[in-house]
Amino acid sequence: MLAPSAAVAAEPAPASPPANRSYASVDPASLLLFSVTLDGATLTEGLGAYGLATDPLIPMGELARLLEADIDVAPVERRITGRLGQARAPLLVDLNAGLARAGGREFAIGERDAAVTPTEIYLRTSVVQQLLGLTVEVADDELTLRMRAAEKFPVQARLERQARRPDQGQPGQSNEATLKVVEPYAFFTPPGLDVVLDGGLQTGGNNSTFRYDLRFAGDLFWSNLQGYLGSDEEGRATNARVMLQRRSLEGDMLGPFRAREVSVGDVFSPALTMGARSVAGAGFTFSTAPLEQASVFNRIDLRGELPPGYDVELYINDVLRNSTNQSINGRYEFRDIPLSPGINVVRVVTYGPRGERLEEVQVVNVGAALLRRGEAQMAFGIVDQDTPLFRPRRSSRPLIGDPRLFANQGARAVVSVNYGLTDLISLTAGAARIPQPGGGALGVYSLGGRTSLFGLATQLDAAWNGDGGAGVSVGAAGQFGPLSAVLRHAEYRDGFVDETNLSFDARYRVDRRSELTVDSSVNLRGRIVPISMRVLTNNYEGGSYDVIAAGRASSGIGAVLLSAGLEYERRHMRPAASDETLKGYITASTFRSYKWQVRTSLDYDVLPDLKARFLSLTVDRRLSDTWSVRFGLGQPLDNTHDWNVVASSIYATRYGDFALTGEYDNTDADWRVAAQWSFGLGFDPERSRYNILRTGPGSGGSVLFNAFLDENGDGVRQASEAAAPNVALEGAARGALTGRDGRVLVTGLGAGPTAYMDVNLEKLDNPAVATPPTKVQLRPRPGRTARVDYPMRPTGGVMVKVELLRDDGQRVGLASVRVQLVRPGSPPVDGVTEFDGSAMFDAVPVGNWRLQLEPLQAAKLRMRLENDAVIDIQGNGDMAPDVVVQVRFDPPLADTTVAATDGGPR
């Protein structure tokens, strides 16, 4: 979950394209079918492109599937995101902003360089070369795209797989359609569960250990129930959380409030611009603000599920900002993350103990957060601060935030309102009740304004509390050539405590705070390296101060993604002497040959002494589709005698993942041997029973996909209608294939606002079928299984010839005649005759069809058929006997004249 500090997290609404940015349209008449080769290997003979043959518009979704590249195309949001190569170099195309980023390089996208349809984004070949690092030769005379890759793509690394046929090449599929699956909230659905069971033997006080980690979710009371239960190493429940949540992309909840998200249970309170920050606790929250309207002056908090043994890394605009393997009540949390003006690409990369790698991408367009005139947004929350809804036993779990600030409990209530006074001025106001350590509560209030001056987003906020303390904050943000900068300064008086400032020493009273964040890119001998810098200073009462400065950079070098950073801190807390530290890190990762996943990091000190502190190495090797191994090493470099090592063997089955792990720590000669079973329990709504699966149904959405041959065309599977095995589903965390019964239960769809899956008929025994759209769009919810019926109609074909019966009795083929196959209850199948009067109909569903002329053309040209034709389509791709029909042209109607007299018409 990505939550702004100034508002409860809201489901992002699809961004509306700017009115002044209109991209090229796809002209069906300019369709070009290209043959595509990659380093000499043919990927497809029929990639549909549009426009000029010398620089055509290429469908990025289809191209990504052909290359098997990690690229996500979102036509609704008009964005493309992904990772390329073994170094996992980032890629972003944002048509709303008219820019593209690839591996640290940024360039503009012109209005003639792209086209958008409801299900696809097209880019010119010249743009695709820059994005994907390809050399593309367009042989317009042969209609061939010859691609040469600087680094091999996954399709080349997996030689056993054949190139996928592009979507529009599959029989019966419309290139301009998406099958949208909407699963309404229910009063109750059986929950999905994710379970981790871990037992082992070790040295120390407890020779044997057992622990579990349980996540569950499902619909309850027309909302989504999400829960977590975790134990200690003796199998005793220590942590628990439960939340009911309901979301609406359209913002149609709570009547006139038009809320986008409503939550009750273990939630996080909203925050104010000054004074009150987001805090966990049992309570109730709602928000009407979409996430994409985040302000540059509101730092964000990021939270998400973190199972045992997982690591998570945070990248902002391709720069590694933070990482952790520590969970708080089963979740990770990154706090106080600043964003830059403009497009921010937020990537959360999760690494699992069995070599899993999951990447979630959120694109946040950050500006001054100005609202339209008269528009209002609201966030409200009331929580029992730092108190979960259920606490199985007293535990030592860490508090969220500085315990010296939040080590007190009680009801915390927060409300904030944003209002668009004009299109250029927005106002914000808020109030909060904050529990105090000595009992009681303190009222905190804030007022502020947002505007844009000379191209700079500017803000002014003021806050005060019930004890007479007050604060004021001013800020400016903008882009200056290659630099994107945010400057903010705050003054505090009479002991005002600003909880939104986490980077200060709570033992001292803060008088003022200044912060500068700068993001840019540096050209190092032709290599563009994105960098991020931040300077923060706090001045305390009595002349004490501290300064924190950090710089970070990331770039791909060959097949390796390299990140480095330095953090400087100077503290002068009177009467003690000042001290300085300068620390650094270097991390590297690669996905070598798409089989080896290697990660390493080095931590070191520069001040007060130059020394290396710690080296870590993790290697994951996938030996087959079901078996992988892991090796990890941790080495303190200030004491080479202390080290630890871990080795694992993981076997993946349809019933979950089984892992055997051995750990040894040389510091105290400690060892541990453990066995772990990670699995999911997904409910099959059709058979009313649970299935043991791999993990996913308890933390994300699932789909029960039912593919069958729809003989009668009613869209409902009858007992006599055959199943469709070997239909592939792509786009989930793990690919899936329908079984002999035509069904498959797919998990791991996540809990984002939307998810997409592609239906691939490549392995179908008889691909001569007409299908619904092969792109499926869902709104996944944790624990909920959506049912997708996928009727496929067997098809056949027929050749029709239209002849003109002349007055002299001769018959000649008639070109450009629009003809249709029609029958009750089905849309017409259209065709156009060629130069010889012939029209080919293929992929026509089985049944009896009647041939007719297209009514509008027939009426305009006064054409009629001389003979009726009924065609019986048998299916299996077979062709019906050829049909020949004759047409005649009726003479124009004779002119009629109506005579009239003074007495009126006769």
Side-chain angles (χ1 to χ4, degrees), residues 274-288:
M274 291 184 70
R277 65 163 280 110
S278 178
V279 176
F284 166 79
T285 66
F286 77 86
S287 173
T288 69

Side-chain angles (χ1 to χ4, degrees), residues 327-342:
S327 66
I328 300 175
N329 209 8
R331 290 181 289 210
Y332 67 81
E333 182 179 32
F334 297 120
R335 295 175 293 153
D336 197 34
I337 304 298
L339 297 180
S340 301

Side-chain angles (χ1 to χ4, degrees), residues 699-722:
S699 54
S702 303
V703 163
L704 176 61
F705 190 82
N706 178 32
F708 61 97
L709 298 179
D710 188 14
E711 299 286 351
N712 59 8
D714 64 354
V716 179
R717 186 171 181 176
Q718 314 295 330
S720 60
E721 291 176 332

Side-chain angles (χ1 to χ4, degrees), residues 588 598-601 614-619 631-635 644 646:
V598 182
R599 295 183 292 135
T600 184
S601 66
F614 195 83
L615 174 68
S616 66
L617 172 69
T618 303
V619 179
F631 173 80
L633 174 67
Q635 175 67 68
N644 60 82
V646 58

Side-chain angles (χ1 to χ4, degrees), residues 289-476:
L291 179 62
E292 291 189 349
Q293 294 182 356
S295 168
V296 290
F297 306 109
N298 296 333
R299 293 168 297 277
I300 63 171
D301 298 335
L302 294 108
R303 306 178 179 100
E305 299 293 332
L306 187 64
Y310 279 68
D311 302 328
V312 61
E313 294 178 344
L314 170 65
Y315 291 82
I316 304 291
N317 292 329
D318 307 331
V319 178
L320 179 63
R321 291 291 185 90
N322 210 335
S323 63
T324 184
N325 59 6
Q326 301 297 316
S327 66
I328 300 175
N329 209 8
R331 290 181 289 210
Y332 67 81
E333 182 179 32
F334 297 120
R335 295 175 293 153
D336 197 34
I337 304 298
L339 297 180
S340 301
I343 298 296
N344 288 259
V345 182
V346 181
R347 301 180 188 270
V348 178
V349 183
T350 306
Y351 299 95
R354 295 167 294 280
E356 304 96 331
R357 186 185 190 280
L358 177 64
E359 181 171 322
E360 298 179 13
V361 180
Q362 179 79 54
V363 179
V364 183
N365 197 349
V366 175
L370 298 178
L371 306 182
R372 293 187 298 270
R373 181 178 181 179
E375 182 182 0
Q377 295 176 354
M378 180 180 181
F380 171 79
I382 179 169
V383 302
D384 190 0
Q385 181 169 292
D386 197 48
T387 302
L389 189 63
F390 300 104
R391 177 170 288 179
R393 57 186 293 114
R394 305 300 296 180
S395 65
S396 58
R397 68 179 182 87
L399 301 175
I400 297 177
D402 192 325
R404 286 166 294 195
L405 288 176
F406 307 130
N408 47 292
Q409 297 179 346
R412 171 182 287 243
V414 182
V415 60
S416 67
V417 178
N418 298 327
Y419 179 76
L421 187 64
T422 70
D423 289 342
L424 293 177
I425 301 176
S426 293
L427 304 179
T428 179
R433 177 191 187 274
I434 301 177
Q436 297 301 293
L442 181 66
V444 177
Y445 314 94
S446 67
L447 286 174
R450 306 285 185 271
T451 188
S452 180
L453 296 175
F454 309 107
L456 296 178
T458 57
Q459 61 89 218
L460 174 65
D461 288 305
W464 64 97
N465 61 33
D467 286 346
V472 62
S473 173
V474 295

Side-chain angles (χ1 to χ4, degrees), residues 102 217 219 337 353 380 422 440 498 501 569 589 721 733 743 764 776 795 835 848 852-853 856 895 900:
D219 280 5
I337 304 298
F380 171 79
T422 70
D498 186 2
N501 177 14
E569 183 174 3
S589 63
E721 291 176 332
R743 303 164 68 258
L764 196 65
V776 183
T795 63
F835 68 95
N848 292 322
Q852 70 174 24
L853 301 176
L856 293 178
D895 293 337

Side-chain angles (χ1 to χ4, degrees), residues 33 125 153 332 448 509 711 832:
L33 293 178
T125 307
F153 283 85
Y332 67 81
R509 178 177 293 184
E711 299 286 351
V832 180

